[in-house]
Amino acid sequence: MQHEASFSVPQGMQPGLARALKLILRELEQVLVPELQSDRARSTAGMLAQLLRHLALRETQLPDLLDEWTRQQQALLSEAGAAFDPGEGGAFERNRRVTAAVADLSARIAAHSVSDTGAGLTDPWCRRAVTAERNHLAARSSAEREAPSLQHSSERAALLDVTPERLRPYLATKLPGFGSVQVTKVHKLLGGFSKETFIIDAQADGNAMPLVMRRDIALGPVAGSVADEVPLLRALHAQSMPVPRPLLVEADRSVFGEAFFIAPKAAGETAFSNVHGLDMGGGQENAARALAEVLGRLHRLDASAMNLPRSFFDADLSMADCVRRQVEAYERGWFSRTHQPSPTMSAAFAWLRANLPPSAGRPCIVHGDAGLHNLMMDAGRVSVMLDWELSHMGDPVEDLAYCRTWVDQALPWSEFLEIYYRHGGVEYRPEYESFYSVLSNLRVVVFAAQSGYGSHWSEHPELPLMFATTHYHNVFLDKVAAQLAG
C-alpha cells in the first residue's frame, strides 16, 4: 500500500475548542445536572474532566511538546541519512511534516522487520522512532493530568428523542401480533461508543415485555449499521446461540434519526461494568467459564450451512484471506480518517502485513469484542452475548487472545481452554497471540481516529465520540508502541 498521499485529511479534524466547550455545556445541562447521583452522571463527569484537560493542553503546552518531538524526529532522520527540514509554520504544521517523513521511513523499514515469533520490530532505528512517539505521548498525558481543570436543531433533537409517546404507536404498528402495546419508560444506557442502547419498559396486553433498542450513531467509529448485524443474529439464534433476537429492524432514518433494531431485553447483568469493573461477588469465575463455552460453541459453527449473506461469508476466502482483509480495512479506515501521521501506526500496519498468521483450517465466525463486558449473566448462566457489530469471518485466535486479558483476572487460562475445547473450540495457537493483540489495540486507535472525524463533522457530536478521540487514541496507541518497540 502506498502512503505518499495518505495524510490528506484537512487540519483541524479534531473538534475545535468552541465546538467542544459547547458540547460540554450541553452535557452538563442535559446529563450531569439532572443525574448527578447516578452512575451515568459520575461517568460523564469523569469524561468531561478528561476532555477539559485535553483542551487546556492544546491551547497551552502542546505546541512546546510538539516542537520537542519535532527536534527528536529530525535527529532520527539525520541519523538515518535522511535529514529533513520541516520548513516554516507553526508547531503543529512543522511537526506534521517531519512526523510524516518519519512515518514513511518507519513503514519502509518495518515491512522487512519480519519475526517468526511475533516479537515486534527488529530494526533498532524503527524501534527508536516508535519509542520517541511513545515518549511524546507520555509527556502529553502527564501534562493533561496536571492541567487545570452543541446544541443541534430542534427538528433533529425531536427526531432523535426516543420517548414512550413516540414509541407506543410505532410498536403497535410494527408488532401487531403482540396485542395492545404500552410503553411506560425509556432509559438510555451508559456507554454507546459505537452504537446507542435504550432500555424500553413496555407491556403487551398487560404482561411485562421489556425491550432493547440498538441505534446507530451518525458518523460513528465503526463502519456498517445495526441493520447489517440482523442476518447474523438471526442465523446464530437459529443455532441456539445466546444472542439478541431482533423483533424488528428499521433502516428508515426518518423514524428515530438513525437505523435501529429492537429485541427482547435479556435477564441479568453484564459481567463487567464500566463503572464498577469486574465486581460480581465471585461471579466472575462463572462468567469466564461461560465465555469459554460460548466461544467454543461459536467457533465450531459451520458458516457455510447458515445461509449468511455473502457480504459476511465468502466461501472462496481462506482464513489468511479474511485476516488480510481485516488489516487492510483498518488501514483504509486509518488513512482516510486520521488527522495526524503516526510512525507507530505506519510501522504497525507494515508489521502486521509482514507477519500475517498462516491459515489453519476454515475461517470461523469471530465475535470481535469477546470480553466479559459483553456477557449478560443471569443466575450463573449466560442469558445473551452482546454487541456483534465487530463480528466477521476470521481466526478464532483473535477472540481468544482478546478475551485472555479478562479471563486471566478470573480463571486459570488452562481451565478456560479446557472448557472451550469441550464445547467444540478449535486449536489455540499461542504463537499468534501477539499478532492479534497488536491488531486489537491498533483497531481501537483506528476507531478513535474515526470518532474524531465524527466529532468534527457530525451535526450532533456525541460525548463518547469526542472522549474516544482524545483519550482512547493515546492510551491504545501507547499500547501498540509498547508492543512493537518493547
Side-chain angles (χ1 to χ4, degrees):
M1 180 174 288
Q2 298 297 316
H3 304 312
E4 184 175 347
S6 297
F7 301 105
S8 58
V9 178
Q11 291 263 359
M13 189 56 65
Q14 284 193 333
L17 179 58
R19 187 172 173 84
L21 291 176
K22 289 179 181 178
L23 181 144
I24 292 171
L25 178 60
R26 186 190 77 199
E27 296 296 314
L28 283 170
E29 293 177 341
Q30 298 181 6
V31 178
L32 286 183
V33 173
E35 302 188 50
L36 198 55
Q37 298 304 312
S38 71
D39 286 343
R40 181 184 175 204
R42 290 193 294 271
S43 178
T44 301
M47 288 191 287
L48 287 173
Q50 177 67 32
L51 181 56
L52 281 168
R53 287 191 289 268
H54 173 80
L55 293 172
L57 178 70
R58 287 189 66 188
E59 296 299 308
T60 55
Q61 297 169 261
L62 187 54
D64 291 338
L65 294 175
L66 288 174
D67 281 338
E68 175 59 24
W69 189 29
T70 297
R71 287 191 289 271
Q72 293 174 6
Q73 294 190 108
Q74 283 183 276
L76 281 167
L77 290 170
S78 295
E79 176 187 332
F84 183 87
D85 182 0
E88 300 298 324
F92 287 85
E93 183 59 31
R94 288 167 50 81
N95 179 263
R96 180 182 177 81
R97 294 189 195 114
V98 74
T99 303
V102 175
D104 248 6
L105 188 54
S106 295
R108 291 199 298 271
I109 295 175
H112 304 288
S113 190
V114 180
S115 169
D116 293 335
T117 62
L121 298 168
T122 57
D123 180 81
W125 184 93
C126 203
R127 291 166 70 96
R128 287 196 296 277
V130 170
T131 299
E133 184 169 24
R134 190 182 182 198
N135 291 340
H136 170 70
L137 293 171
R140 288 177 64 160
S141 296
S142 176
E144 284 187 12
R145 285 193 299 270
E146 297 169 3
S149 302
L150 297 158
Q151 301 292 345
H152 43 32
S153 68
S154 58
E155 181 180 348
R156 176 68 174 168
L159 185 60
L160 289 169
D161 200 13
V162 182
T163 65
E165 293 74 21
R166 296 187 65 212
L167 268 174
R168 191 179 300 118
Y170 175 80
L171 292 177
T173 301
K174 293 291 185 176
L175 301 175
F178 285 81
S180 176
V181 177
Q182 297 296 320
V183 179
T184 57
K185 183 180 178 181
V186 179
H187 172 63
K188 182 179 176 181
L189 288 185
L190 169 70
F193 286 94
S194 59
K195 310 293 180 186
E196 293 180 303
T197 303
F198 300 84
I199 302 299
I200 303 168
D201 292 344
Q203 293 182 336
D205 286 339
N207 298 313
M209 186 179 69
L211 302 171
V212 175
M213 173 190 281
R214 183 101 165 133
R215 185 172 70 179
D216 288 341
I217 294 177
L219 296 179
V222 178
S225 168
V226 292
D228 302 329
E229 302 172 37
V230 172
L232 174 64
L233 292 176
R234 287 175 172 163
L236 290 173
H237 186 266
Q239 298 291 323
S240 300
M241 292 295 296
V243 299
R245 179 173 58 88
L247 299 174
L248 63 90
V249 57
E250 182 61 77
D252 184 354
R253 297 173 64 235
S254 69
V255 178
F256 281 104
E258 298 295 335
F260 63 90
F261 71 71
I262 291 179
K265 180 184 181 297
E269 297 181 354
T270 55
F272 179 91
S273 163
N274 287 328
V275 176
H276 302 297
L278 191 62
D279 181 14
M280 300 176 58
Q284 59 267 30
E285 292 185 9
N286 282 339
R289 294 187 182 99
L291 181 61
E293 176 181 344
V294 171
L295 289 181
R297 292 173 57 198
L298 176 66
H299 294 161
R300 78 182 182 191
L301 292 175
D302 181 2
S304 66
M306 293 172 63
N307 196 30
L308 294 167
R310 187 175 176 82
S311 59
F312 185 89
F313 173 74
D314 185 339
D316 295 330
L317 297 180
S318 68
M319 183 184 293
D321 292 332
C322 292
V323 177
R324 183 181 299 105
R325 281 194 170 191
Q326 189 180 4
V327 173
E328 291 171 350
Y330 289 149
E331 191 165 18
R332 286 194 302 272
W334 168 256
F335 285 109
S336 66
R337 292 290 185 260
T338 187
H339 58 274
Q340 174 69 25
S342 164
T344 299
M345 291 295 282
S346 293
F349 281 119
W351 183 84
L352 287 169
R353 291 195 304 273
N355 290 276
L356 284 169
S359 293
R362 60 176 174 80
C364 297
I365 299 174
V366 175
H367 180 277
D369 195 11
L372 297 182
H373 62 307
N374 280 326
L375 207 64
M376 289 278 285
M377 300 292 294
D378 182 47
R381 299 183 61 83
V382 177
S383 58
V384 69
M385 186 83 171
L386 302 168
D387 292 4
W388 291 81
E389 67 263 30
L390 298 181
S391 57
H392 56 276
M393 298 302 299
D395 187 343
V397 177
E398 179 185 347
D399 273 344
L400 296 173
Y402 178 79
C403 78
R404 184 166 186 176
T405 301
W406 307 82
V407 172
D408 283 344
Q409 302 177 61
L411 198 69
W413 184 242
S414 58
E415 183 177 344
F416 179 91
L417 286 179
E418 190 277 326
I419 298 170
Y420 171 74
Y421 292 141
R422 193 192 320 149
H423 289 87
V426 301
E427 181 183 1
Y428 180 55
R429 298 183 292 168
E431 63 269 29
Y432 299 113
E433 185 175 301
S434 61
F435 175 90
Y436 287 110
S437 181
V438 171
L439 181 64
S440 172
N441 289 324
L442 173 141
R443 77 178 181 191
V444 179
V445 184
V446 174
F447 293 160
Q450 292 171 329
S451 295
Y453 181 87
S455 295
H456 183 82
W457 293 109
S458 175
E459 175 190 0
H460 176 235
E462 295 289 343
L463 174 64
L465 292 186
M466 195 172 290
F467 179 75
T469 304
T470 61
H471 179 66
Y472 288 131
H473 176 277
N474 287 359
V475 169
F476 283 87
L477 183 58
D478 180 70
K479 289 178 182 289
V480 175
Q483 290 171 306
L484 292 178

